[in-house]
Amino acid sequence: MMRLGRAPCCYCFTEPHPAAVRLRVLPPARAANTSSEPAARLRAVLEQVDEELRKGNDEAALSLVRGSQGADGGLRFFGAARQVPQRLYTLDELKLNGIDTSAFLSPVDLTLGSIERNLQIAAVLGGLSVSAAFELSQLQVLFLFLGLLSLWSVDLVYFGGGVRNLILDTIGHNLSQKYRNRVIQHEAGHFLIAYLLGVLPKGYSITSLDTFIKKGSLNVQAGTAFVDFEFLQEMLNKFSCIALAGVATEYLLYGYAEGGLADIGQLDGLLKGLGFTQKKADSQVRWAVLNTVLALRRHKKARSQLAEAMSSGKSVGSCIGVIEENINSEDI
């Protein structure tokens, strides 16, 4: 961590007196102001980054971040992650580092699954109650069932299951604090690893309802978005780590992952699209798992503070400031 030494005291002399030379010491307040200037410059840069991202000027925002690297009071940790050598790691090597891939790479969302089952049971019971109350015939009950099935099909075909996800996610956030905390930590993992690897986050949303309000679309999922105009040129290794960062965070906190199946599916689809053999894909994933987990362990405090900031809806620039304040240079 950069340390700013105390500025030397400033002295000046008054007009010499015949009997003695009188020394006047200027008050040290100016030195204190000087020490706060780098922090003020950093805040100004991050505010500019937020403004450019709000305007949709992703490239300008990235240029600001890169231009601030290495400057006095600038960003110290963007793209500065310490990484493990890339090679084929065996499952035993991952276990030696405390990583159980069976609990890591096969997430099952138990919370939303339970909510969906309860809603299905409630729908069946509600349908039976309506049928009994209005004395519906078997044919009418069949038409009611087919009507509900058609609505589900429309959602699946036209919105990719967006209405279903919106309902389940909203109920989950309102009824289960554990689910809400897990989602926040998951997204904080994506945000932190991306930043440390040199990929600028440009926005995030914690709930599907927030995403729907912001984007006006049911086809867009909640999550963290990144500045990606140059993503495909050099970024397979970074993308692999970012994709696994959410499930890695859940694994480290809870011993297993529930969310992130879509993240793993995207990574798997990308590797298959690039023509990776199974052995080469396994090598890529195992390296990314180890690299990501070790980085998250080193920067536990930054991830925890970042999750709190994201839970409060802080801007991207503010979240970057939280990361910069909570990482020790010795861990990079």
Side-chain angles (χ1 to χ4, degrees):
M1 182 174 292
M2 185 188 305
R3 296 181 180 276
L4 297 177
R6 294 180 59 189
C9 294
C10 299
Y11 300 93
C12 65
F13 291 93
T14 62
E15 188 71 22
H17 189 275
V21 176
R22 302 174 66 182
L23 184 66
R24 180 165 62 90
V25 182
L26 294 178
R30 295 178 63 182
N33 291 338
T34 301
S35 66
S36 67
E37 288 178 2
R41 283 197 295 271
L42 179 57
R43 283 196 300 272
V45 168
L46 293 180
E47 287 173 0
Q48 285 182 281
V49 170
D50 280 334
E51 182 62 26
E52 295 298 341
L53 290 176
R54 276 193 292 269
K55 294 177 180 177
N57 298 333
D58 295 353
E59 189 168 358
L62 183 58
S63 296
L64 283 169
V65 170
R66 287 177 172 170
S68 177
Q69 287 180 277
D72 185 22
L75 299 172
R76 297 168 293 167
F77 304 120
F78 181 69
R82 185 202 311 170
Q83 303 188 60
V84 299
Q86 187 169 12
R87 62 175 177 82
L88 176 59
Y89 291 91
T90 66
L91 293 177
D92 288 337
E93 286 178 300
L94 296 184
K95 288 180 180 178
L96 287 174
N97 285 277
I99 302 172
D100 179 8
T101 54
S102 63
F104 189 102
L105 296 176
S106 301
V108 178
D109 202 327
L110 301 175
T111 303
L112 293 190
S114 176
I115 291 174
E116 185 171 24
R117 285 191 299 273
N118 290 334
L119 287 177
Q120 290 170 346
I121 293 172
V124 171
L125 295 177
L128 292 175
S129 298
V130 170
S131 175
F134 292 94
E135 299 180 350
L136 299 179
S137 66
Q138 291 183 348
L139 184 60
Q140 289 173 319
V141 171
L142 178 61
F143 284 152
L144 177 62
F145 172 77
L146 291 176
L148 293 174
L149 185 61
S150 65
L151 290 176
W152 178 83
S153 300
V154 168
D155 174 46
L156 189 62
V157 172
Y158 289 98
F159 303 117
V163 175
R164 168 189 170 275
N165 293 334
L166 176 62
I167 293 172
L168 293 178
D169 183 72
T170 302
I171 293 175
H173 276 282
N174 284 278
L175 295 185
S176 174
Q177 187 61 41
K178 179 182 177 182
Y179 173 75
R180 176 172 174 78
N181 290 340
R182 180 173 63 78
V183 172
I184 292 170
Q185 297 291 347
H186 183 106
E187 295 308 325
H190 284 306
F191 194 116
L192 176 62
I193 292 299
Y195 182 78
L196 292 175
L197 291 176
V199 179
L200 178 65
K202 66 177 180 180
Y204 66 90
S205 57
I206 301 300
T207 70
S208 295
L209 183 59
D210 288 341
T211 306
F212 177 66
I213 292 173
K214 292 177 182 177
K215 304 293 185 181
S217 173
L218 290 168
N219 292 316
V220 182
Q221 292 185 344
T224 305
F226 307 97
V227 172
D228 59 359
F229 64 89
E230 58 177 19
F231 206 75
L232 296 178
Q233 296 179 13
E234 55 172 76
M235 308 271 286
L236 175 60
N237 289 343
K238 295 180 181 181
F239 176 78
S240 301
C241 294
I242 295 168
L244 296 173
V247 291
T249 301
E250 289 191 43
Y251 173 76
L252 291 174
L253 288 174
Y254 309 112
Y256 62 93
E258 290 189 19
L261 187 60
D263 299 329
I264 294 174
Q266 284 182 340
L267 177 58
D268 184 57
L270 175 62
L271 297 179
K272 288 180 179 178
L274 292 174
F276 275 42
T277 64
Q278 189 61 51
K279 182 178 180 180
K280 189 175 181 181
D282 288 344
S283 175
Q284 179 71 27
V285 170
R286 291 174 188 175
W287 169 81
V289 166
L290 182 61
N291 195 48
T292 303
V293 168
L294 294 182
L296 288 169
R297 283 176 179 164
R298 278 195 301 272
H299 306 301
K300 178 180 178 180
K301 179 183 177 183
R303 191 263 312 146
S304 177
Q305 295 299 314
L306 174 61
E308 288 189 18
M310 294 173 73
S311 177
S312 301
K314 299 293 186 181
S315 68
V316 169
S318 297
C319 289
I320 291 174
V322 169
I323 294 174
E324 291 284 333
E325 291 170 3
N326 287 279
I327 289 183
N328 193 322
S329 298
E330 296 176 357
D331 293 330
I332 293 295

